[in-house]
Amino acid sequence: MKMLLGIDVGSVSTDIAVLDEEGEVIAWQYLRTKGNPIEAIKEGLAKIEKEFQDKGLDPEVVAVGTTGSARYLAGVVVGADLVKNEISAHAFATIREIPDVRTIFEIGGQDSKIILIRDQIVVDFGMNSVCAAGTGSFLDHQAERLGIDITEFGNYALRAKNPVRIAGRCTVFAESDMIHKQQMGASAEDIIGGLCEALVRNYLNNVARGKELLPPFVFQGGVSENIGIKKAFEKTLNHEVIIPKNNKIMGAIGAALLAKHDVDKNPRETAFKGFRVARTDYKTRTFYCNACPNNCEIYEIREGNTVIARWGDICGRWSEGLKRMKKVKTNKDGK
Ligand code: SF4
C-alpha cells in the first residue's frame, strides 16, 4: 500500500501524519518534543510501524516531507524528499480541506501564526514566537496552576457566566492579573473564560495586527483543541470559526502532500530511510568554528559513526563536503 509521510517538528510537539495516495490520513501521532526532536521522531515512527504491523499493513512510503522549526534536522534523520516551511505546509493542507479559506489562525505550543489566503494563494502571514501569552504552553501552565486538566479547560470556559477581563499582553501580567481576580473571588469558570478571551485579544492585537481578516476563518494547531478559544474567536470576530478535521496535525499533513506534489512533478525514488529510523542511533553535537571572526556555531548529526549532516556555517566550510551525501531537496531557506 503506497503512503505519504509528513513530519512537523516544533519546540513543543512533534506531529507525524501518514496519508494514503488520495491524501486521507490513515495514521498519526502527536507527541511532546521534550527538547529532543530526534527521540520524538523515533518514538512516533515506532508507534506508527507497530500500528501497521498490528493491522497487517505493509506500507510503501513513496514521499516524505518535513516542516516545523526542526525541519532540516528531521529531514536529514528520516530522509525527506522535501523540506518546507510551516506557512506553506499549513496553507497547503488547509486549502485542500477548505478550498475557500481566507484566514488561518494557527496557535501551537510555543508560537502562533496567521496566514492570509486569497484565491488559494498565500498573500500574507505573521508569526509570533516572542510572547508566550498567546500559546499553548501558557495555557498548560495556567491549567496546572489552577489544578485543572488542560483537556477540561475549554468546558470550563464554556460555563463562564461573566468572564473576567484579564490583561493578556504578556505572561507575567496575565498571571498576576489572574491571581488577583482569583483573590477577589472570581470562579474558575469566569477566570478561564476571561483567559481564553485575553489570549484571543492578544493574538489579534499582535500576530494579526494590521491584517485584513476575512472569512472563512479556520483555526488549527494544538490550541484549537480548546473549545473555549474557538468560542472566544467567534465572539470577538462575530463570525463562525471552522476547526478542520485533523486540526492538530495540519502542518504534517501539508508537508506530506507537498512532498507528493514535488515527487509527482519530478519523479524519483523516495529518500526515506524506512521505519528502521526508529531503531537507529543518532547523536548530535555543536561546536564553534574559529577559522574566522564569524565564530559560527556548527550543528552536527551522526548516524552511528557517520556524520550525516552539518549546518550553521556561513561560508559552507563544514557543510559543503557533506552536501552530496544529502538527498534532501530544498532551496536555500526551505521556502
Ligand atoms: S564556518 Fe566559515 S564563516 Fe563560519 S567561522 Fe568558520 S570559516 Fe568563518
Side-chain angles (χ1 to χ4, degrees), residues 289 291-292 294-296 298 313-315 317-318:
C289 173
C292 89
N294 283 326
N295 283 130
C296 297
I298 315 299
D313 47 346
I314 292 173
C315 67
R317 177 189 174 104
W318 297 92

PDB file of all heavy atoms in Angstrom, residues 289 291-292 294-296 298 313-315 317-318, ligand 1:
ATOM      1  N   CYS A 289      33.314  27.130  15.130  1.00  0.00           N
ATOM      2  CA  CYS A 289      34.427  27.203  14.178  1.00  0.00           C
ATOM      3  C   CYS A 289      35.196  28.486  14.478  1.00  0.00           C
ATOM      4  O   CYS A 289      34.610  29.571  14.547  1.00  0.00           O
ATOM      5  CB  CYS A 289      33.887  27.211  12.742  1.00  0.00           C
ATOM      6  SG  CYS A 289      35.193  27.508  11.525  1.00  0.00           S
ATOM      7  N   ALA A 291      37.827  29.516  12.623  1.00  0.00           N
ATOM      8  CA  ALA A 291      38.688  29.819  11.480  1.00  0.00           C
ATOM      9  C   ALA A 291      38.568  31.263  11.001  1.00  0.00           C
ATOM     10  O   ALA A 291      39.390  31.729  10.214  1.00  0.00           O
ATOM     11  CB  ALA A 291      38.370  28.856  10.333  1.00  0.00           C
ATOM     12  N   CYS A 292      37.549  31.981  11.438  1.00  0.00           N
ATOM     13  CA  CYS A 292      37.437  33.401  11.099  1.00  0.00           C
ATOM     14  C   CYS A 292      36.609  34.087  12.178  1.00  0.00           C
ATOM     15  O   CYS A 292      35.995  33.408  13.019  1.00  0.00           O
ATOM     16  CB  CYS A 292      36.856  33.587   9.693  1.00  0.00           C
ATOM     17  SG  CYS A 292      35.068  33.690   9.617  1.00  0.00           S
ATOM     18  N   ASN A 294      33.768  35.184  12.392  1.00  0.00           N
ATOM     19  CA  ASN A 294      32.328  34.881  12.486  1.00  0.00           C
ATOM     20  C   ASN A 294      32.018  33.886  13.611  1.00  0.00           C
ATOM     21  O   ASN A 294      30.902  33.868  14.141  1.00  0.00           O
ATOM     22  CB  ASN A 294      31.817  34.300  11.172  1.00  0.00           C
ATOM     23  CG  ASN A 294      31.626  35.380  10.128  1.00  0.00           C
ATOM     24  OD1 ASN A 294      31.268  36.510  10.460  1.00  0.00           O
ATOM     25  ND2 ASN A 294      31.879  35.044   8.880  1.00  0.00           N
ATOM     26  N   ASN A 295      32.991  33.054  13.948  1.00  0.00           N
ATOM     27  CA  ASN A 295      32.793  32.062  15.033  1.00  0.00           C
ATOM     28  C   ASN A 295      31.446  31.341  14.941  1.00  0.00           C
ATOM     29  O   ASN A 295      30.665  31.307  15.891  1.00  0.00           O
ATOM     30  CB  ASN A 295      32.879  32.740  16.414  1.00  0.00           C
ATOM     31  CG  ASN A 295      34.290  33.032  16.812  1.00  0.00           C
ATOM     32  OD1 ASN A 295      34.575  34.148  17.197  1.00  0.00           O
ATOM     33  ND2 ASN A 295      35.203  32.070  16.711  1.00  0.00           N
ATOM     34  N   CYS A 296      31.177  30.783  13.779  1.00  0.00           N
ATOM     35  CA  CYS A 296      29.873  30.126  13.575  1.00  0.00           C
ATOM     36  C   CYS A 296      29.690  28.954  14.536  1.00  0.00           C
ATOM     37  O   CYS A 296      30.636  28.216  14.816  1.00  0.00           O
ATOM     38  CB  CYS A 296      29.772  29.572  12.155  1.00  0.00           C
ATOM     39  SG  CYS A 296      29.857  30.838  10.901  1.00  0.00           S
ATOM     40  N   ILE A 298      28.391  25.450  14.771  1.00  0.00           N
ATOM     41  CA  ILE A 298      28.114  24.387  13.806  1.00  0.00           C
ATOM     42  C   ILE A 298      27.347  23.249  14.498  1.00  0.00           C
ATOM     43  O   ILE A 298      27.720  22.809  15.586  1.00  0.00           O
ATOM     44  CB  ILE A 298      29.425  23.794  13.221  1.00  0.00           C
ATOM     45  CG1 ILE A 298      30.409  24.914  12.830  1.00  0.00           C
ATOM     46  CG2 ILE A 298      29.133  22.874  12.041  1.00  0.00           C
ATOM     47  CD1 ILE A 298      29.928  25.860  11.779  1.00  0.00           C
ATOM     48  N   ASP A 313      27.145  26.905   9.302  1.00  0.00           N
ATOM     49  CA  ASP A 313      28.342  27.582   8.806  1.00  0.00           C
ATOM     50  C   ASP A 313      27.969  28.591   7.717  1.00  0.00           C
ATOM     51  O   ASP A 313      27.345  28.238   6.723  1.00  0.00           O
ATOM     52  CB  ASP A 313      29.357  26.567   8.281  1.00  0.00           C
ATOM     53  CG  ASP A 313      28.730  25.525   7.366  1.00  0.00           C
ATOM     54  OD1 ASP A 313      27.478  25.433   7.346  1.00  0.00           O
ATOM     55  OD2 ASP A 313      29.469  24.823   6.661  1.00  0.00           O
ATOM     56  N   ILE A 314      28.372  29.817   7.913  1.00  0.00           N
ATOM     57  CA  ILE A 314      28.007  30.867   6.956  1.00  0.00           C
ATOM     58  C   ILE A 314      28.658  30.609   5.592  1.00  0.00           C
ATOM     59  O   ILE A 314      28.038  30.790   4.549  1.00  0.00           O
ATOM     60  CB  ILE A 314      28.441  32.253   7.498  1.00  0.00           C
ATOM     61  CG1 ILE A 314      27.592  32.615   8.722  1.00  0.00           C
ATOM     62  CG2 ILE A 314      28.307  33.333   6.416  1.00  0.00           C
ATOM     63  CD1 ILE A 314      28.038  33.882   9.429  1.00  0.00           C
ATOM     64  N   CYS A 315      29.912  30.152   5.587  1.00  0.00           N
ATOM     65  CA  CYS A 315      30.644  30.042   4.329  1.00  0.00           C
ATOM     66  C   CYS A 315      30.536  28.661   3.680  1.00  0.00           C
ATOM     67  O   CYS A 315      30.979  28.468   2.554  1.00  0.00           O
ATOM     68  CB  CYS A 315      32.121  30.362   4.552  1.00  0.00           C
ATOM     69  SG  CYS A 315      32.923  29.106   5.575  1.00  0.00           S
ATOM     70  N   ARG A 317      32.036  25.974   4.869  1.00  0.00           N
ATOM     71  CA  ARG A 317      33.262  25.223   5.172  1.00  0.00           C
ATOM     72  C   ARG A 317      32.982  23.813   5.712  1.00  0.00           C
ATOM     73  O   ARG A 317      33.656  22.857   5.360  1.00  0.00           O
ATOM     74  CB  ARG A 317      34.063  26.025   6.204  1.00  0.00           C
ATOM     75  CG  ARG A 317      35.341  25.364   6.680  1.00  0.00           C
ATOM     76  CD  ARG A 317      35.919  26.163   7.847  1.00  0.00           C
ATOM     77  NE  ARG A 317      37.062  25.487   8.427  1.00  0.00           N
ATOM     78  CZ  ARG A 317      38.327  25.838   8.238  1.00  0.00           C
ATOM     79  NH1 ARG A 317      38.606  26.860   7.451  1.00  0.00           N
ATOM     80  NH2 ARG A 317      39.307  25.182   8.819  1.00  0.00           N
ATOM     81  N   TRP A 318      31.986  23.668   6.565  1.00  0.00           N
ATOM     82  CA  TRP A 318      31.698  22.389   7.208  1.00  0.00           C
ATOM     83  C   TRP A 318      30.606  21.583   6.514  1.00  0.00           C
ATOM     84  O   TRP A 318      30.551  20.365   6.633  1.00  0.00           O
ATOM     85  CB  TRP A 318      31.301  22.615   8.671  1.00  0.00           C
ATOM     86  CG  TRP A 318      32.404  23.207   9.472  1.00  0.00           C
ATOM     87  CD1 TRP A 318      32.628  24.530   9.694  1.00  0.00           C
ATOM     88  CD2 TRP A 318      33.457  22.512  10.105  1.00  0.00           C
ATOM     89  NE1 TRP A 318      33.751  24.718  10.442  1.00  0.00           N
ATOM     90  CE2 TRP A 318      34.288  23.483  10.714  1.00  0.00           C
ATOM     91  CE3 TRP A 318      33.797  21.159  10.233  1.00  0.00           C
ATOM     92  CZ2 TRP A 318      35.424  23.150  11.440  1.00  0.00           C
ATOM     93  CZ3 TRP A 318      34.922  20.832  10.951  1.00  0.00           C
ATOM     94  CH2 TRP A 318      35.733  21.815  11.552  1.00  0.00           C
TER      95      TRP A 318
HETATM   96  S1  SF4 B   1      32.281  28.333   9.205  1.00  0.00           S
HETATM   97 FE1  SF4 B   1      33.203  29.740   7.718  1.00  0.00          FE
HETATM   98  S2  SF4 B   1      32.304  31.730   8.189  1.00  0.00           S
HETATM   99 FE2  SF4 B   1      31.918  30.423   9.946  1.00  0.00          FE
HETATM  100  S3  SF4 B   1      33.642  30.798  11.346  1.00  0.00           S
HETATM  101 FE3  SF4 B   1      34.203  29.019  10.096  1.00  0.00          FE
HETATM  102  S4  SF4 B   1      35.325  29.897   8.351  1.00  0.00           S
HETATM  103 FE4  SF4 B   1      34.212  31.580   9.336  1.00  0.00          FE
END
